[in-house]
Amino acid sequence: MEKIVSLCKRRGFIFQSSEIYGGLNGFWDYGPMGVELKRNLKDFWWRRVVHERDDMAGMDGSIIMNRAVWRASGHEETFSDPMVDCKNCKARHRADQLPHKNDETYCPNCGSRDLTEPRAFNLMLKSYAGPIESDENLVYLRPETAQAMFVQFKNILETSRKKLPFGIAQIGKAFRNEINPRNYTFRSREFEQMEIEYFCRAEDGLALTDYWLEERLKFYEDIGIPRPKIKIHDIPDSERAFYSKKTYDLEYEFPFGLSELEGVAYRTDYDLSAHIKHSGRPLEYFDDEKKEKFVPHVVEPSAGVDRTVLALICEAYDEEEVADGKGGSETRTVMHFHPRMAPVKCGIFPLLKNKPALVEKARAIADALRPHMMVFYDEAGAIGRRYRRQDEIGTPFCVTVDFDTIGENGPENADTVTLRHRDSMQQERIPAGELKDRIATAIF
Ligand code: ATP
């Protein structure tokens, strides 16, 4: 994991938040490469889940909502983790994550077994809306995006004119005051979620849960996380929330162990019923054809943006032994991102930076591609070094403009460039005018 963390910092993927002040535990910033990767992931999720489907509608809810929402959802009362203190070194831990030996738990910090009894610690971060810090003005930063989709169910149903089954999708920030943020960005206090609430009739709930599990596995494959790398954990009855009739956790083998990327849960009619009860508003669905009124059931595929970004980074990271061109070998660090996820799609290099005709042509190619994709123009250092820099950020294609391109070696190759492929390191010569379509097809 250290190598991945170091590359992420060195190449501008992820930085500690407030780093120059010592950071803040559980908070992270995404740098120039990280933000592109994250956007590609969110955009592709949105495309798959909203744009390519007829049965979905999107929304973007506020982070702070009326406190009554969290009372109705049960979060104010029960959204907590069991916390213990070590009486010896005073460290705080989640009771359910303590290591144990001979059936006895101990402090992972100092090894002491002298721990307090677990007590419930509410994970919602608090603030005040308004000038007075009173109980009346107390608000929470949402710990999940889901509730906005339940609360707006009726508005969205009416304005989108959807019929059951249909879903609402949302991407947004969520906050949890995790007792022990850890494993890099995996468990943070501020993170982003990509959530779907898919509303249906009760009799379709279980089948749709399996349907969404399959859809989500396809999604991970399409972003470069192969199916065998994801373990499906069918949560047993005894461990599921009482309202859920089926829950699958999708787990990825991170370097620190198998851990949850996403949950697909059949939540029955629990959420809408709770909001009907607490708000007194009718959130039922009326089936025109059958003349029936009922509370829809819901299937919730809930994924973490940051955890998926981390999985993409872990999956892509590779060190290879390659020929160094001098008869020996060298280590190449390469990120094998799927081209549609790669932060930069194409590196563009003039062979030499002190030849104005090469520079001008390379810049013109870069400018022509910019409206269609993220490109990186680089003229510094030997070509091999420039390729390596792009390999480290996972750029799938590199284009070199040389003397052939500018017609100095005759008209046959004029206006052609070399296109170098990241994974195979193979190069081919193609007309510069074909670049856009060639790359666009691969990154779509
Ligand atoms: P965990 O058991 O790991 O705490 P959870 O089961 O509480 O997670 P959910 O409430 O189901 O998580 O949230 C849905 C998704 O949101 C998770 O699958 C995960 O991808 C993401 N997520 C939840 N908590 C965090 C966090 N602290 N940091 C980053 N992502 C998170």
Side-chain angles (χ1 to χ4, degrees), residues 79 94 144 176 178 185-189 191-193 195 249 260-263 302-307:
F79 192 64
R94 239 173 90 167
E144 60 174 37
R176 293 183 190 179
E178 297 281 357
T185 55
F186 180 84
R187 188 171 300 288
S188 310
R189 288 180 169 144
F191 55 96
E192 253 178 303
Q193 292 183 313
E195 293 196 297
D249 279 355
E260 178 183 328
L261 268 187
E262 168 159 2
S302 168
V305 175
D306 310 77
R307 286 187 187 179

Side-chain angles (χ1 to χ4, degrees), residues 430-439:
I430 68 161
E434 286 178 14
L435 278 173
K436 192 198 101 197
D437 287 349
R438 276 289 293 276
I439 302 173

Side-chain angles (χ1 to χ4, degrees), residues 206-221:
L206 281 172
L208 281 167
T209 310
D210 284 350
Y211 163 81
W212 275 107
L213 171 67
E214 187 55 30
E215 283 296 292
R216 300 303 304 140
L217 289 168
K218 272 193 232 151
F219 175 86
Y220 287 109
E221 238 174 358

Side-chain angles (χ1 to χ4, degrees), residues 349 351 383-384 387-388 397-402 417-430 438:
F349 319 141
L351 186 63
I383 283 286
Y387 284 149
R388 290 288 181 275
F397 303 101
C398 286
V399 165
T400 302
V401 169
D402 57 18
V417 291
T418 56
L419 179 66
R420 185 250 196 192
H421 299 262
R422 176 196 65 204
D423 296 345
S424 63
M425 294 191 287
Q426 297 291 316
Q427 298 185 18
E428 58 175 323
R429 191 124 209 132
I430 68 161
R438 276 289 293 276

